[in-house]
Amino acid sequence: MFSAHPLARKAILAAPTLGSRHSVRGYAMANTKGAEIQARIDAKRQAALLGGGTARIAAQHQKGKLTARERIELLVDPGTFREYDAFVEHQCTDFSMSDQKITGDGVVTGVGKINGRPTYVFSQDFTSFGGSLSKTFAAKVCKIMDRAMQVGAPVVGLNDSGGARIQEGVDSLAGYAEIFQRNVLASGVVPQISLIMGPCAGGAVYSPALTDFTFMVRGTSYLFVTGPDVVKAVTNETVTQEELGGAGPHTKKSGVAHDAFDNDVVALARTRELLSYLPQSNREPAALRYTADPVDRADAALDTLVPTDSHKAYDIKDVVGRIVDDARFFEIMPDYARNIVIGFARMGGRSVGIVGNQPLVSSGVLDIDASVKAARFVRFCDAFNIPLVTFVDVPGFLPGTQQEHNGIIREGAKLLYAYAEATVPKIAITTRKAYGGAQCVMSSKQLRGDVNLAWPTAELAVMGAKGAVEILWRRDPEGRAKAEEEYNRLFANPLPAAQRGYLDDIITPSTTRQRIIEELEILQHKQLKNPAKKHDNMPL
């Protein structure tokens, strides 16, 4: 009957039967103990769900903010969030902290699905110690960041914190440094997105600064290294939180934030949308999504959209919208350095990064802010295998002492560097002006551009006709009018560049969509590697 070892058989036969008195008593005791443990677990789990308690949750709502858990529920697909370390509590004993413990310790961490794909999330809980960072808080965040890099999944951080937990001293600072280190290691490996949904001050600001995209909520979020009180004490300057580090200053002046939204709900919805354009990690190709928009859709309006007079403006976003799938364009940093446009779209279902000079703002000239804005975006796309489509209409770099003294040479070189090192498919369409050094910078053929196209309205030259003639005929003012006509005939068209092989083709504008998609289809198999190196030394 038994095949077990004889000793095992003896032990089995000697064991009390289910119906014995000793067996019933043992099971009863075990069940009682198990029920007590389960009750304690349930109580702790309920405490974790409440965070800082109902009163603080109500206060959070009164400020127009959602709680940490409510934010996660809106961010991830319904029913997919799996929490880690819900029972964690801080271990600090100084300043009577051993008597002040909140289960979860101020941050909710875990993994869920967004658009059906795994995404790691941490959400700071302002109702628990003001969302302040402790050693155990940091450990929870670091754990999910490590896992995200191991499995190849994005990390989304929902920031709403008063900063370091002062009672923990250097342990709190060490916790920040541990997070910073992982931000750096994860850079270019998995997408990192930061949402500022409350205060974020002091050392805490550097984690969002190290991530790929930072979004803010108008009226409730603030980012600053030192707050208004410190500013007043040190500089005697009176400034409000909003003026110092609100969404307005950071999306329009500093460029620290990539966009701002009216409330938590919109911010979370837009984050979900952004992630739909991105691969899970640098190990995956650009994201694909079905579209009913025909590949060969022609738009006759493009044939007349760009004015032949180079002094007349038009909106490059009108061009982009008529070419990309379903006219959907997810713009990044729409309120900062508006003379250049960047963002994500799809072409034939494939995610692409869009860069375009904006003639509506300063004629699309490149300046310091525009160069840095576009360079960071180009490098992100290259890191995550997202093809680049560039629309060129640039009169040059902005002249003037302010730009020169603030480093336009160094800052402009960043954009040149970004395009030059990029190995993803690069397609450029010159719609009108492409003058001087700026023409070289904007994904030119010499920077390993894969496909360089031009519309008939394109002009590729050292400079515009008027400026060139004033230099070449400065001693012959009377001959300038005739010379300008000759210059326009020779250079104010795309033929000279095409005849030299700097352009691959001159196309009818209405066919641009089909041409780009066809080229992307071929370039998806592109293989190009940069020389082996420890890392580059771009002009920071």
Side-chain angles (χ1 to χ4, degrees), residues 129-142:
F129 301 114
S132 59
L133 186 136
S134 67
K135 182 179 179 179
T136 51
F137 178 128
K140 289 179 66 173
V141 174
C142 290

Side-chain angles (χ1 to χ4, degrees), residues 159-386:
N159 295 265
D160 188 359
S161 169
R165 194 169 299 172
I166 298 172
Q167 297 93 326
E168 295 210 10
V170 292
D171 276 346
S172 181
L173 299 180
Y176 276 126
E178 292 281 4
I179 294 172
F180 300 159
Q181 179 65 63
R182 283 160 177 81
N183 287 136
V184 173
L185 293 177
S187 181
V189 178
V190 295
Q192 300 179 81
I193 301 174
S194 296
L195 276 73
I196 314 302
M197 312 187 86
C200 185
V205 301
Y206 290 108
S207 178
L210 291 168
T211 60
D212 299 306
F213 300 102
T214 300
F215 298 133
M216 299 184 71
V217 178
R218 295 186 184 95
T220 58
S221 64
Y222 309 101
L223 267 169
F224 38 65
V225 177
T226 54
D229 292 339
V230 176
V231 170
K232 175 69 174 177
V234 175
T235 69
N236 202 33
E237 179 184 4
T238 301
V239 64
T240 65
Q241 285 187 326
E242 180 64 34
E243 292 168 339
L244 182 62
H250 283 315
T251 55
K252 297 176 182 178
K253 296 181 180 179
S254 72
V256 167
H258 294 79
D259 208 349
F261 308 106
D262 289 335
N263 54 57
D264 287 6
V265 176
V266 177
L268 294 164
R270 292 288 279 170
T271 300
R272 287 178 55 88
E273 184 180 354
L274 172 60
L275 283 165
S276 73
Y277 290 96
L278 310 182
Q280 289 291 92
S281 72
N282 63 357
R283 302 194 294 265
E284 294 187 4
L288 282 168
R289 175 175 286 190
Y290 170 78
T291 178
D293 198 346
V295 169
D296 60 353
R297 172 177 56 79
D299 192 329
L302 290 171
D303 293 334
T304 56
L305 195 151
V306 176
T308 54
D309 184 352
S310 61
H311 297 291
K312 291 184 178 180
Y314 64 96
D315 191 345
I316 196 63
K317 287 188 277 190
D318 287 345
V319 174
V320 172
R322 291 178 179 277
I323 292 173
V324 301
D325 290 356
D326 308 306
R328 295 189 66 86
F329 176 53
F330 191 101
E331 188 173 359
I332 301 293
M333 304 181 82
D335 298 321
Y336 179 76
R338 293 170 55 243
N339 43 323
I340 201 162
V341 172
I342 60 173
F344 296 102
R346 293 185 180 89
M347 299 288 293
R350 181 177 287 104
S351 289
V352 296
I354 301 289
V355 180
N357 307 110
Q358 176 58 288
L360 275 183
V361 181
S362 303
S363 300
V365 69
L366 284 177
D367 58 11
I368 290 173
D369 292 343
S371 298
V372 174
K373 169 183 171 179
R376 182 86 187 276
F377 181 74
V378 168
R379 298 195 90 214
F380 174 85
C381 291
D382 187 46
F384 290 101
N385 311 310
I386 300 172

Side-chain angles (χ1 to χ4, degrees), residues 32 56 79 96 139 161 172 177 183 212 215 221 230 253 295 305 332 354 391 410 432 434 441 478 488 491 523 530 536:
T32 301
R56 291 176 182 175
S96 302
S161 169
S172 181
N183 287 136
D212 299 306
F215 298 133
S221 64
V230 176
K253 296 181 180 179
V295 169
L305 195 151
I332 301 293
I354 301 289
F391 293 91
R410 177 187 63 251
R432 198 168 57 180
V441 168
E478 295 180 359
N488 280 323
F491 300 115
L523 288 168
N530 289 324
D536 55 45

